[in-house]
Amino acid sequence: MDETLASLLSDAGLTPRGETQPLGGGDIAEVFRLATDQGEVVVKRDDPERLAGEAEGLRALREARSGLIVPEVLGEAGGYLVMEALTPGRSPGDEASLGEGLRRLHAETGDAHGWPRDNACGRTPQPNAPLPDGRAFQRDRRLLPLVDACQARGLMESRLRARIEAIAHGLEAWLPDAPASLVHGDLWSGNVLYTPQGPALIDPAVYRHYPEVDLAMLTLFGSPGEAFFEAYWNGGAPADWPGRETLFQLYPLLNHLLLFGGGYRGAVDRAVSRLEAYQAL
């Protein structure tokens, strides 16, 4: 076993039993399961800065006490993150529990949009320098940096860039500012783990922003069921949800374009067209 990991486990009071066992799904980081005398843990190996941001995010989500399960950080140093292992499994009312938990999570708000440190969404650096206005944060910390990155890699032509810039600079015309909610930040379905104790959140990229950031990610590649939305909205969806859903899907779509290439350009273009039509109403 790597000396750095062995030392980290020792500092955390964990005695390993055997060697690490690779887990699937680690396309960005190496992920392992490890048996210890104190129970199984999950070990992740990645860039130290990315792991430090993830560990901070996990702690923030746990401290929010939303009722959602968040794995405990047991140790983090030297490019390793050691976490509590969760056991997959379903329990009655999972989707409603997820909706209720997210509603409580998003009720924790702050004065500024952003986070005290930058982190990462996948492999993409995520700038989080706080701004008091949510529209400015979405424009200057999310959309425009990814537009620059995509064009620099030859993934975006000038006309599409201009259309996204027009949307970014027109947010104040239709999107009201709002208190900044604590958000998971990368809440696609693969980062929701159902356990016998209820739904759990993993692999966060936390910051504070509009709560619809998390909802839009959940509906981007599928959608939770009606029970989720009934529990989350605790009534009907706001009238401008269609616009917000499309807006907050544009950032992860741009990130997919940046990470995985031109196959996502059509999805970006379609989202831009929907936003242009929405703003014209």
Side-chain angles (χ1 to χ4, degrees):
M1 179 178 294
D2 183 288
E3 290 184 6
T4 301
L5 176 58
S7 177
L8 181 59
L9 292 169
S10 176
D11 290 345
L14 299 170
T15 303
R17 298 177 58 188
E19 295 297 317
T20 55
Q21 302 298 317
L23 290 175
D27 58 332
I28 294 172
E30 296 178 273
V31 186
F32 308 92
R33 203 170 184 99
L34 175 67
T36 78
D37 286 348
Q38 293 73 32
E40 288 199 329
V41 298
V42 169
V43 179
K44 182 177 284 191
R45 185 175 187 178
D46 195 7
D47 173 78
E49 281 299 310
R50 278 200 296 266
L51 289 181
E54 180 176 343
E56 183 180 65
L58 289 169
R59 294 186 182 105
L61 293 176
R62 281 179 64 89
E63 290 169 4
R65 300 186 182 280
S66 66
L68 297 171
I69 295 169
V70 180
E72 181 182 2
V73 174
L74 303 174
E76 178 259 316
Y80 286 99
L81 172 61
V82 180
M83 299 168 284
E84 170 191 10
L86 302 179
T87 301
R90 301 295 302 219
S91 58
D94 275 339
E95 289 199 335
S97 296
L98 178 61
E100 292 166 2
L102 277 183
R103 176 160 46 83
R104 288 193 290 267
L105 177 69
H106 295 158
E108 182 177 316
T109 60
D111 295 330
H113 294 253
W115 196 246
R117 68 180 294 162
D118 294 344
N119 49 31
C121 190
R123 289 190 298 270
T124 303
Q126 186 164 258
N128 289 324
L131 289 170
D133 189 293
R135 286 81 55 95
F137 184 88
Q138 180 64 202
R139 176 171 51 249
D140 297 334
R141 303 287 188 262
R142 292 293 177 263
L143 297 180
L144 296 186
L146 278 190
V147 165
D148 288 341
C150 287
Q151 189 169 50
R153 294 191 187 178
L155 294 168
M156 180 177 296
E157 69 277 9
S158 296
R159 173 160 172 72
L160 181 56
R161 177 191 179 112
R163 293 168 66 201
I164 297 174
E165 287 177 337
I167 288 169
H169 289 290
L171 293 178
E172 284 82 355
W174 68 275
L175 182 66
D177 195 17
S181 294
L182 180 64
V183 298
H184 176 282
D186 189 17
L187 197 60
W188 69 290
S189 60
N191 285 341
V192 177
L193 178 65
Y194 291 104
T195 79
Q197 292 75 40
L201 305 182
I202 61 174
D203 295 343
V206 300
Y207 55 103
R208 294 186 186 275
H209 198 29
Y210 290 90
E212 290 87 358
V213 162
D214 284 343
L215 303 187
M217 275 293 292
L218 278 175
T219 63
L220 183 55
F221 301 115
S223 182
E226 184 177 341
F228 167 84
F229 287 102
E230 287 182 353
Y232 183 85
W233 296 124
N234 198 24
D240 63 353
W241 163 238
R244 291 181 185 233
E245 180 182 33
T246 305
L247 172 64
F248 296 123
Q249 286 178 349
L250 183 54
Y251 170 66
L253 285 172
L254 286 168
N255 193 30
H256 276 68
L257 176 60
L258 181 67
L259 291 174
F260 305 117
Y264 282 92
R265 192 177 298 111
V268 170
D269 187 85
R270 288 189 294 273
V272 169
S273 295
R274 288 195 301 271
L275 272 172
E276 290 169 336
Y278 183 83
Q279 289 181 321
L281 294 177

